[in-house]
Amino acid sequence: MDPISDAFHAKDFRIAFLMKKGTAFQDWFAELAGHAFGSDFEAVRPYGKQGDWKCDGRRLSTETIFQCYAPETASDQNTISKINTDLAGAVEKWPDFIKGWIFVHNDPRGVPPAVAAHLDAKRAEHPDLEIEIWLEPELVGLFGMMTPEAKRLMFGIAPTQGTAHSIGLADLEPVISALQRHEPDPSDEVPPPPSAKKLEKNALSNEASALLRFGRLRVRLVETYFGKNVRVELGEKIAEAFRDRYAELQALDLSADQILSYLQQFAGVSGEPKRQAAAMAVLAYFFDRCDIFEDPDEEAVGT
């Protein structure tokens, strides 16, 4: 598979993991697991009063029950309550099947200590049951098991190297128009461009770095767009919006890839391939020109 297309599909995966909530996340996980495990996975849907028997899907070969949880706002107390209710229900409803129980959660920060300790208590309570919690790393593993065709079916047609070269000024217009949502502070100075080692400094994944390099193929086109625009303050207005969004995300203690995924969603890197390519070019332009993500240490710059 084309590495650029695969990087865009990885972006689609990560944005979906972070953004989907409630039953939308449950349905997304079932589709992901179905593509990864094939006929070894069965999605279970609620039916009337009987519900879904506290099972959002099951893997036949391991006799494992999956239960998804993606609330709008997560808390230790609510997560522990959900674990208690769903685990007890699964053990009661599937006594002749269940050998493993996996709680699939989309909290991007990982497992809180109180939840981890509670899972330990549940493992002690059910010594014959394999109890796990799956977060982003485990779902990345499922994504890696998917064939290129499965990724296209789930995430759509992705841009290729050729898509970047096919976009023009008109393709940038809807992307930039959508970003005009923040008034800059006139006293805020425009920051200097970052060094070439910025990707390495922020420990972005190979896929994230590939997308930013892909976007750079058309950075000159973005420069031309802003150069032709009569509103000279437009570029700084959008840069300020990116800086504000980055500051909000950085305060959440997310990984660099997770922050970039939110910024990709903010920039509108979605839809048909040319729209994704145009939005990625705009994001790459501002990645280089405003203080989102960290610049390398001075000593690293000189090496």
Side-chain angles (χ1 to χ4, degrees), residues 35 56 81 128 134 137 147 161 166 168 170 181 189 191 205 235 239 241 251 255 270 275:
H35 283 303
D56 292 329
S81 176
D128 297 328
W134 279 15
T147 65
Q161 201 87 347
S166 71
R181 58 178 74 172
E189 295 183 3
S205 67
S255 72
S270 62
R275 171 62 184 256

Side-chain angles (χ1 to χ4, degrees), residues 31 76 91-92 94 105 131 187 230 255 264 270 274 286:
E31 186 178 3
D76 291 1
V91 170
E92 176 187 352
W94 303 91
H105 196 6
I131 297 176
S187 65
V230 295
S255 72
Q264 287 167 334
S270 62
K274 286 185 75 172
F286 286 105

Side-chain angles (χ1 to χ4, degrees), residues 85-205:
T85 301
D86 290 348
L87 177 57
V91 170
E92 176 187 352
K93 291 292 187 179
W94 303 91
D96 298 325
F97 176 85
I98 188 169
K99 290 184 179 177
W101 186 79
I102 296 177
F103 190 67
V104 185
H105 196 6
N106 75 334
D107 191 327
R109 298 163 297 180
V111 184
V115 174
H118 189 70
L119 285 169
D120 287 342
K122 287 298 174 183
R123 292 182 182 107
E125 185 180 331
H126 300 276
D128 297 328
L129 193 61
E130 291 290 331
I131 297 176
E132 300 178 43
I133 185 167
W134 279 15
L135 297 156
E136 185 176 359
E138 289 77 18
L139 299 192
V140 168
L142 295 188
F143 174 81
M145 293 169 63
M146 294 171 66
T147 65
E149 179 58 27
K151 290 176 182 178
R152 282 191 291 270
L153 286 171
M154 185 165 183
F155 302 111
I157 299 174
T160 64
Q161 201 87 347
T163 311
H165 295 291
S166 71
I167 64 174
L169 292 173
D171 298 303
L172 298 176
E173 178 63 39
V175 176
I176 293 171
S177 295
L179 285 168
Q180 297 178 48
R181 58 178 74 172
H182 182 85
E183 290 297 330
D185 183 349
S187 65
D188 188 26
E189 295 183 3
V190 178
S195 76
K197 293 181 179 283
K198 193 170 184 178
L199 290 174
E200 181 181 351
K201 169 68 177 180
N202 287 278
L204 288 162
S205 67

Side-chain angles (χ1 to χ4, degrees), residues 183-236:
E183 290 297 330
D185 183 349
S187 65
D188 188 26
E189 295 183 3
V190 178
S195 76
K197 293 181 179 283
K198 193 170 184 178
L199 290 174
E200 181 181 351
K201 169 68 177 180
N202 287 278
L204 288 162
S205 67
N206 291 335
E207 292 85 359
S209 299
L211 290 184
L212 287 165
R213 293 188 182 102
F214 172 88
R216 284 201 183 95
L217 294 174
R218 301 302 278 165
V219 159
R220 291 293 179 87
L221 184 70
V222 182
E223 290 176 345
T224 299
Y225 181 94
F226 286 117
K228 288 179 175 291
N229 199 289
V230 295
R231 294 179 57 195
V232 295
E233 81 284 358
L234 179 60
E236 177 52 27

